[in-house]
Amino acid sequence: MDLKTLIPQKLKEKFPAVEFEITDYKDELTFKFDKKFVVEICAFLKSDPELEFKSCTDITAIDWATRKNRFTMVYNIFSMKHNFRLRLKADVDEADCKVDSVSSVWRAANWQERETYDMYGIKFNNHPDLRRMYMPEEFEYYPLRKDFPLMGIPGSLPLPKK
Amino acid sequence: MGLEAYLKDTGFITTQVNAIIAWARKSSVWPMPMGISCCAIEMMAVGDPKYDIARFGSEVMRFTPRQCDLMIVAGTVTYKMAPVVRKIYDQMPDPKWVIAMGACTSTGGMYRSYSVVQGIDQFLPVDIYLAGCPPRPDNLLHALMKIQEKIGKTKASQFHNVPLKEEGVKLPELNVIQKN
Ligand code: SF4
């Protein structure tokens, strides 16, 4: 069976309680669902013998700035077995800026989640080592948020004395 | 003709201590290759036989700051890197000089963003700003020659930052006694 019909069918069978929003744009399949189920769904996609999404290519987020759910988490995953790419999305609200970490599913997610935390300020529950990736640890802002000015905030990054 | 040829015939030269120390110093400027990004490739090219920095006595790129006189900051300095650059600079023994190589190092260059220091002169004393993205190896050699000129003008007793433009300081050239 074609993977594009098999994956939605399997997911709906396995998680009847979850509402999936499925889009197939430019031959790229995307699932959107509630952030509560991220870990379960990811674990299923990885471990199912017919799918085997064993590679977590990228984790990032989108800042929509003015929307009700300000952020969207994006997971790009890859199945080596079928040479097939899949995208998962989950909305995150600014008031509750937390998602469960998938680093227990894919170990590669560790650093990618750290990067997302560094750039967007989204916290990851149960992450083994949630520190900043690029910016210094004392830095208080999140640079890829839309309200962060391009030239930064003067004085927020200390320089050595001349 | 080198100095040795004269010495073979006459056996002595006269000069001032200031002049000979400056001459020795400027002919053996040991660089600290602070290669942080793409400019460093041009800095490496300066060491190859085509451009050959050895002609100026600066081929000994030392990877420990404690043996260096000249820091060539070649590349984009981010805010996170700045304390490291400064720490390495502080470890270099006096007297020391700095070349800010390339647009990034001098002004932030094309990286007009929150993460890049907009000019390393905010935390380091810079002697030469070198334009270009990246500057050609000949440009770097020119900068080195300017540094040598600056060192040549500096008295041994006051070996700290004399501006290049200051005309008052001029030391005598090495006088070699000619054979009659
Ligand atoms: S000035 Fe240009 S070549 Fe040099 S480090 Fe910056 S971007 Fe790279």
Side-chain angles (χ1 to χ4, degrees):
Chain A
M1 196 196 281
D2 183 15
L3 274 177
K4 278 196 180 167
T5 45
L6 179 69
I7 301 173
Q9 188 185 324
K10 275 197 164 249
L11 280 177
K12 276 177 192 155
E13 235 169 62
K14 175 85 184 171
F15 304 98
V18 186
E19 246 180 68
F20 287 103
E21 194 183 302
I22 306 170
T23 41
D24 186 4
Y25 176 70
K26 298 228 169 176
D27 214 21
E28 291 173 10
L29 195 57
T30 305
F31 287 87
K32 197 166 175 185
F33 45 83
D34 196 292
K35 67 175 185 180
K36 280 192 298 227
F37 305 103
V38 165
V39 180
E40 282 172 69
I41 290 174
C42 287
F44 170 72
L45 287 171
K46 186 189 176 190
S47 58
D48 190 275
E50 276 183 277
L51 302 177
E52 290 197 3
F53 282 92
K54 285 197 174 168
S55 165
C56 175
T57 336
D58 187 29
I59 294 177
T60 184
I62 307 167
D63 181 4
W64 298 106
T66 49
R67 286 194 195 170
K68 187 168 152 278
N69 286 318
R70 181 169 171 182
F71 300 103
T72 301
M73 284 299 303
V74 182
Y75 303 82
N76 290 310
I77 56 177
F78 178 60
S79 165
M80 307 240 187
K81 188 173 176 186
H82 302 290
N83 187 19
F84 189 83
R85 288 181 193 278
L86 187 64
R87 185 176 301 127
L88 310 175
K89 285 186 179 179
D91 278 342
V92 180
D93 192 25
E94 200 183 359
D96 181 29
C97 215
K98 289 183 193 119
V99 201
D100 290 335
S101 165
V102 295
S103 54
S104 56
V105 183
W106 298 285
R107 285 181 66 189
N110 187 328
W111 278 29
Q112 291 165 356
E113 286 180 342
R114 273 177 64 186
E115 184 188 355
T116 312
Y117 163 67
D118 190 2
M119 291 289 132
Y120 294 93
I122 298 172
K123 300 232 163 55
F124 291 89
N125 304 329
N126 308 324
H127 190 283
D129 181 27
L130 196 62
R131 283 179 295 138
R132 280 182 176 269
M133 193 88 212
Y134 304 128
M135 304 307 288
E137 203 58 43
E138 327 65 73
F139 192 59
E140 291 166 13
Y141 307 92
Y142 302 106
L144 283 192
R145 286 192 176 186
K146 295 281 186 223
D147 52 9
F148 186 84
L150 174 65
M151 285 307 292
I153 293 170
S156 58
L157 286 162
L159 276 177
K161 287 215 177 57
K162 193 164 177 173
Chain B
M1 201 188 295
L3 199 55
E4 308 90 333
Y6 286 117
L7 287 174
K8 199 173 81 193
D9 290 338
T10 59
F12 67 92
I13 55 172
T14 62
T15 181
Q16 292 185 351
V17 173
N18 271 340
I20 196 129
I21 290 179
W23 173 75
R25 274 203 165 127
K26 80 175 190 187
S27 317
S28 62
V29 184
W30 287 11
M32 161 81 225
M34 192 71 222
I36 308 172
S37 54
C38 19
C39 268
I41 305 294
E42 298 301 295
M43 184 177 64
M44 289 172 219
V46 155
D48 73 14
K50 183 166 177 186
Y51 297 101
D52 198 9
I53 202 171
R55 293 177 292 155
F56 301 87
S58 297
E59 75 278 18
V60 246
M61 300 257 179
R62 294 281 109 168
F63 290 90
T64 156
R66 291 166 202 262
Q67 300 172 352
C68 299
D69 311 304
L70 167 69
M71 185 187 228
I72 304 176
V73 186
T76 322
V77 183
T78 57
Y79 276 93
K80 215 174 172 182
M81 193 67 189
V84 182
V85 177
R86 179 70 209 197
K87 196 182 238 171
I88 291 175
Y89 175 79
D90 286 340
Q91 289 182 19
M92 286 164 55
D94 277 329
K96 50 193 171 185
W97 296 270
V98 176
I99 294 179
M101 181 182 179
C104 287
T105 327
S106 307
T107 65
M110 61 176 174
Y111 300 105
R112 195 148 170 73
S113 94
Y114 64 93
S115 57
V116 175
V117 183
Q118 305 291 305
I120 59 162
D121 48 7
Q122 289 178 38
F123 65 95
L124 272 189
V126 177
D127 294 288
I128 304 270
Y129 298 90
L130 190 48
C133 178
R136 286 182 53 84
D138 3 356
N139 283 11
L140 183 56
L141 288 180
H142 186 213
L144 180 65
M145 286 158 76
K146 283 283 178 201
I147 291 275
Q148 288 184 328
E149 192 182 308
K150 189 171 179 174
I151 299 174
K153 279 182 181 170
T154 315
K155 286 203 180 92
S157 52
Q158 33 157 261
F159 241 112
H160 43 72
N161 276 333
V162 173
L164 200 56
K165 285 259 171 60
E166 206 171 294
E167 294 300 339
V169 273
K170 191 156 193 324
L171 287 171
E173 289 293 302
L174 271 188
N175 290 321
V176 177
I177 301 284
Q178 299 278 350
K179 214 173 95 183
N180 296 333

